């Protein structure tokens, strides 16, 4: 896919991985909508990037907020790229704690909402817009890149909610690709390992060293810019579809 002149929506676009993706896509001539709960941060990034970027505030589970972000992208060019980065965790814990008390159900459902449900919601609404694009010579109309985590494959002790939410995103990849194939829309997911986002880089150095200890090579946290580079690679390569791609320096999470 030629990126110049097209538009994208990046959810969670004002955060670490999202902002790096926004900057990278903008550098490739893509008009980018920064869709984030933190509208002030989204506006600041949009101002930095100029008239080919726009900010949209809201929640990925709210249909009206999503529709507004998609409309803003369509004003910048044909909406051809959706990158779902929004997510996170509202809490952790084992399925029962040391006293035998069960895991909080609200924490589980809210974590599923902000990750799996939000990703599903933005994808379903964006696909309806992209399906109306003029196809390329290959018949392609758009691409969706979702963000999971290697926790969805190797969830650690106390990560049941987060691991389940990210596993759900990984599980969507192939059926989404199959559903959207007739419309010429590809779907891939990225499963990052330990990434050096501003939040991660703010933890004490001893903790950072412990996080890096199991990474094979390069012996460091991933750089957010490397996430953005992989998004570009997926967008440009028309034969990448239905695939979950690890971005982790050969890291495999231990049980704890």
């Amino acid at each position: 896919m030629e990126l110049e002149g097209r538009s994208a929506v990046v959810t969670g676009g004002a955060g670490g991985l999202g902002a790096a993706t926004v900057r990278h896509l903008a550098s490739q001539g893509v008009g980018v909508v920064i869709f984030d709960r933190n509208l002030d941060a989204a506006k600041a990034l949009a101002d930095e990037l100029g008239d080919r970027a726009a900010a949209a505030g809201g929640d990925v589970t709210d249909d009206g907020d999503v529709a507004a972000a998609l409309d803003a992208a369509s004003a910048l060019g044909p909406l051809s790229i959706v990158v779902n980065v929004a997510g996170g965790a509202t809490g952790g814990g084992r399925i029962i704690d040391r006293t035998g008390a069960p895991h909080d159900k609200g924490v589980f459902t809210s974590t599923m909402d902000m990750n799996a449900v939000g990703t599903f919601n933005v994808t379903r609404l964006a696909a309806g817009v992209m399906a109306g694009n003029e196809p390329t010579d290959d018949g392609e109309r758009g691409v969706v890149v979702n963000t999971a985590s290697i926790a969805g494959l190797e969830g650690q002790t106390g990560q049941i909610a987060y691991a389940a939410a990210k596993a759900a995103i990984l599980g969507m990849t192939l059926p989404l690709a199959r559903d959207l194939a007739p419309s010429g829309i590809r779907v891939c997911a990225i499963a990052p390992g330990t990434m050096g986002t501003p939040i991660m880089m703010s933890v004490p150095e001893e903790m950072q060293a412990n996080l890096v200890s199991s990474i094979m090579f390069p012996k460091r946290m991933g750089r957010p810019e490397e996430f953005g580079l992989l998004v570009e690679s997926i967008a440009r390569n028309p034969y990448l579809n239905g695939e979950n791609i690890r971005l982790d320096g050969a890291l495999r999470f231990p049980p704890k």
Side-chain angles (χ1 to χ4, degrees):
M1 182 190 293
E2 279 298 322
L3 304 186
E4 182 83 29
R6 296 182 181 273
S7 75
V9 170
V10 180
T11 75
L17 296 181
T21 302
V22 167
R23 288 190 174 95
H24 190 74
L25 290 175
S27 75
Q28 302 303 305
V30 179
V32 189
V33 169
I34 305 148
F35 183 25
D36 202 285
R37 283 181 174 179
N38 187 338
L39 181 57
D40 289 341
K43 284 181 176 177
L45 181 53
D47 289 344
E48 172 193 324
L49 295 173
D51 60 8
R52 291 289 289 156
D59 190 314
V60 290
T61 63
D62 184 286
D63 291 3
D65 291 346
V66 175
L70 299 177
D71 287 345
S74 295
L76 297 173
L79 175 62
S80 306
I81 305 166
V82 172
V83 188
N84 284 303
V85 185
T90 58
R94 301 185 185 215
I95 194 70
I96 56 170
D97 67 18
R98 288 184 173 85
T99 70
H103 193 293
D104 186 289
K105 185 172 71 173
V107 167
F108 185 89
T109 56
S110 63
T111 302
M112 291 296 290
D113 280 347
M114 71 167 59
N115 291 277
V117 176
T119 294
F120 165 81
N121 196 45
V122 173
T123 300
R124 75 182 181 92
L125 295 172
V129 176
M130 290 192 288
N133 289 343
E134 286 296 317
T136 66
D137 291 344
D138 271 346
E140 183 173 12
R141 290 184 170 87
V143 60
V144 177
V145 182
N146 293 328
T147 305
S149 166
I150 64 170
L153 299 164
E154 300 145 13
Q156 296 179 291
T157 302
Q159 279 191 332
I160 183 65
Y162 185 72
K166 293 304 188 180
I169 292 172
L170 292 169
M172 290 182 207
T173 304
L174 185 56
L176 280 174
R178 287 171 167 167
D179 281 358
L180 293 174
S183 299
I185 299 169
R186 296 182 291 114
V187 182
C188 286
I190 301 173
T194 303
M195 303 298 289
T197 61
I199 290 175
M200 293 299 290
M201 298 305 291
S202 70
V203 304
E205 288 187 8
E206 183 179 348
M207 185 178 294
Q208 289 186 40
N210 184 56
L211 291 169
V212 168
S213 64
S214 297
I215 299 172
M216 294 294 98
F217 182 80
K219 200 73 173 176
R220 58 170 172 78
M221 295 186 198
R223 296 176 180 135
E225 295 79 9
E226 292 163 337
F227 181 91
L229 184 61
L230 182 52
V231 170
E232 181 201 349
S233 298
I234 293 168
R236 287 196 185 276
N237 191 326
Y239 212 60
L240 271 176
N241 194 16
E243 191 62 58
N244 295 321
I245 304 170
R246 297 179 71 119
L247 183 67
D248 60 14
L251 169 65
R252 298 297 181 269
F253 276 159
K256 295 183 180 179

